[in-house]
Amino acid sequence: MGDAAAPPAAVAAAARAARPTSPSRPPKAIRSTKPRGLDEETAAPAAATFPSIKAPSAAAASLLHADVPMEARVWAPLPDDLLLEVLARVPPFLLFRLRPVSRRWDSILHDPAFLAAHAGVPSHGPCLLTFWRGAASSPPQCSVLSLPLRARYKLPFGFLPAWDLWLVGSSGGLVCFSGFDGAGFRTVVCNPLTQTWRVLPDMHYNQQRQLVLAVDKKRRSFKVIAASDVYGDKTLPTEVYDSKENKWSVHQMMPAANLCSSKMAFCDSRLYLETLSPLGLMMYRVDAGNWEHIPAKFPRSLLDGYLVAGARTRLFLVGRIGLYSTLQSMRIWELDHGRTVWVEISRMPPKYFRALLRLSAERFECFGQDNLICFTSWNQGKGLLYDVDKKAWSWIAGCASQLCNSQICFYEPRFDTLIY
């Protein structure tokens, strides 16, 4: 007869004792605690909601969040440089959970060698960030839906000042907010993963403005662009903030004959804005600091249009067409830069259009990143995603909140993007 099996409690205790709590360190007795700071919520439904991403196998799915024991004799002698290369390839949201484990783990996320390795790793993939405010005394809430992992995570935003902030947008791992601190208009830029933030200096014309955040990975810097606007009886000029210089610079004022709408997009170092008077398109070259008129006529019977930035130089126009609810449809056009015309590239299937907008007067929001376009409506608890390259439509459960004060944008989680 074989030896008697060890009691389950003894096996579990041996596994916990064999698991190192910090890299390149011998194992020591630890207490089982729940990591704080990043809480995992319910996972999104499986492959049907995002067909362009291959669903993981059952074995891989079971190991994704499993508490797998690590053998000290294998991991303890692992060289630090190899360890950093391994950690750089761990999904950022899972790596963020290691911060409270020990000071050693927390310091690794700020190690220059780790940040350099992380910068050379391909992007985690598309994520959707939802930001909303609760009661007046409660801190803002934020959650991120990772499409590759099909899981939602809560990001702590208690590190931000308790101001009346609203979401401007995200770029290259940074998130921009604007609002009032009780005395004036403020702009805040932060990295949610590193929990670092900074308040930008006041603009020359410090009023509530339309802002766009753009990260330049080559220069390791970012810019915030305040588009020309009308405030009262004043026409405010364009201002650009450069993180390298830590100041705002005043640029050319857009022609006064054009009244800007709130729908704009930034791609290829150019800011595009729809204009209402007259209806058209204006382009602002950030490197040259001047405005140009794009004589691209908008489609007829366009009820509402959104400019959406695609990959590289691609610019899309998304909007409804039709005068009556029974004749309406959602269409997507792409700007042909050579001929300066809008070319229709896709139409939303009727079943998706009816589900997204139950009534013709209901509003919808539209935003994009890397040739992905996401549609949300205030009465939906899910979003509709369109992959321009694969021409595929799919529902994404849980990416939209039914709260009227929630805001959503695409987000790229990165540790290596600095705010200074």
Side-chain angles (χ1 to χ4, degrees):
M1 296 178 62
D3 296 336
V11 175
R16 287 195 298 269
R19 186 186 309 134
T21 59
S22 60
S24 303
R25 299 277 182 88
K28 61 180 181 180
I30 60 172
R31 293 183 302 172
S32 178
T33 60
K34 179 182 179 181
R36 295 172 295 176
L38 187 64
D39 297 328
E40 180 183 352
E41 295 183 340
T42 57
T49 60
F50 199 68
S52 60
I53 296 180
K54 184 179 180 181
S57 62
S62 64
L63 294 176
L64 183 59
H65 302 294
D67 189 10
V68 181
M70 299 173 61
E71 297 185 15
R73 61 183 181 84
V74 176
W75 292 97
L78 190 69
D80 285 348
D81 56 345
L82 183 57
L83 175 69
L84 297 180
E85 290 291 338
V86 173
L87 293 178
R89 287 158 175 79
V90 175
F93 298 114
L94 304 182
L95 191 60
F96 186 87
R97 298 168 66 93
L98 299 177
R99 295 183 61 186
V101 173
S102 68
R103 292 182 179 179
R104 169 64 172 160
W105 280 113
D106 183 61
S107 65
I108 281 182
L109 303 184
H110 304 280
D111 191 318
F114 165 76
L115 296 179
H118 181 69
V121 174
S123 174
H124 168 74
C127 299
L128 291 169
L129 182 147
T130 304
F131 176 82
W132 72 94
R133 299 192 63 90
S137 58
S138 62
Q141 304 292 323
C142 181
S143 64
V144 176
L145 176 65
S146 170
L147 299 182
L149 298 181
R150 298 184 181 87
R152 177 184 289 271
Y153 301 91
K154 286 184 178 179
L155 284 178
F157 268 73
F159 62 92
L160 290 179
W163 298 340
D164 185 15
L165 299 175
W166 58 88
L167 179 66
V168 170
S170 175
S171 175
L174 300 183
V175 181
C176 182
F177 298 90
S178 62
F180 294 92
D181 63 352
F185 181 77
R186 295 289 180 265
T187 305
V188 179
V189 176
C190 71
N191 186 328
L193 290 185
T194 61
Q195 305 280 281
T196 55
W197 61 282
R198 66 186 292 187
V199 180
L200 305 189
D202 291 346
M203 291 179 281
H204 295 82
Y205 299 86
N206 198 42
Q207 304 292 345
Q208 183 177 347
R209 307 282 292 275
Q210 302 177 53
L211 303 176
V212 171
L213 171 68
V215 170
D216 189 335
K217 296 182 180 180
K218 293 182 179 180
R219 295 182 65 238
R220 299 184 62 84
S221 64
F222 67 89
K223 292 183 178 181
V224 178
I225 306 169
S228 296
D229 207 343
V230 177
Y231 186 81
D233 57 349
K234 298 180 180 179
T235 301
L236 306 181
T238 305
E239 297 191 42
V240 178
Y241 172 82
D242 192 327
S243 62
K244 289 288 188 182
E245 301 177 0
N246 192 30
K247 67 177 183 179
W248 293 88
S249 57
V250 179
H251 289 222
Q252 180 187 13
M253 187 176 297
M254 196 174 68
N258 294 275
L259 178 62
C260 296
S261 73
S262 61
K263 302 166 185 177
M264 53 188 181
F266 183 86
C267 60
D268 193 32
S269 300
R270 299 170 183 176
L271 178 65
Y272 295 89
L273 289 90
E274 294 182 42
T275 56
L276 301 179
S277 178
L279 183 63
L281 189 67
M282 293 293 294
M283 179 185 69
Y284 177 73
R285 296 182 180 270
V286 179
D287 51 355
N290 55 31
W291 288 94
E292 298 179 16
H293 179 256
I294 305 297
K297 295 183 179 180
F298 281 78
R300 294 183 178 181
S301 303
L302 181 65
L303 297 180
D304 41 22
Y306 283 86
L307 293 176
V308 177
R312 299 180 179 86
T313 62
R314 303 186 73 177
L315 180 68
F316 305 110
L317 172 66
V318 181
R320 288 185 292 179
I321 288 288
L323 299 179
Y324 304 99
S325 59
T326 56
L327 301 177
Q328 288 183 6
S329 64
M330 190 81 70
R331 306 184 187 185
I332 303 176
W333 299 265
E334 181 174 358
L335 180 63
D336 187 326
H337 296 275
R339 298 186 297 155
T340 320
V341 295
W342 290 105
V343 179
E344 183 177 333
I345 62 173
S346 181
R347 296 189 183 187
M348 183 182 294
K351 64 176 182 179
Y352 291 117
F353 180 76
R354 290 192 297 266
L356 182 69
L357 299 175
R358 299 174 186 174
L359 299 175
S360 61
E362 287 183 356
R363 290 184 53 191
F364 73 96
E365 298 291 335
C366 180
F367 49 92
Q369 175 181 291
D370 294 336
N371 297 341
L372 294 176
I373 303 176
C374 185
F375 301 81
T376 61
S377 180
W378 70 271
N379 64 349
Q380 293 283 351
K382 58 184 178 180
L384 181 62
L385 189 73
Y386 178 66
D387 190 321
V388 177
D389 295 329
K390 298 184 178 181
K391 301 184 182 302
W393 298 87
S394 56
W395 289 108
I396 306 176
C399 83
S401 174
Q402 294 183 356
L403 299 175
C404 60
N405 60 346
S406 62
Q407 300 165 290
I408 308 176
C409 70
F410 275 103
Y411 168 65
E412 179 186 1
R414 300 211 63 88
F415 287 99
D416 58 302
T417 308
L418 307 178
I419 62 171
Y420 290 99

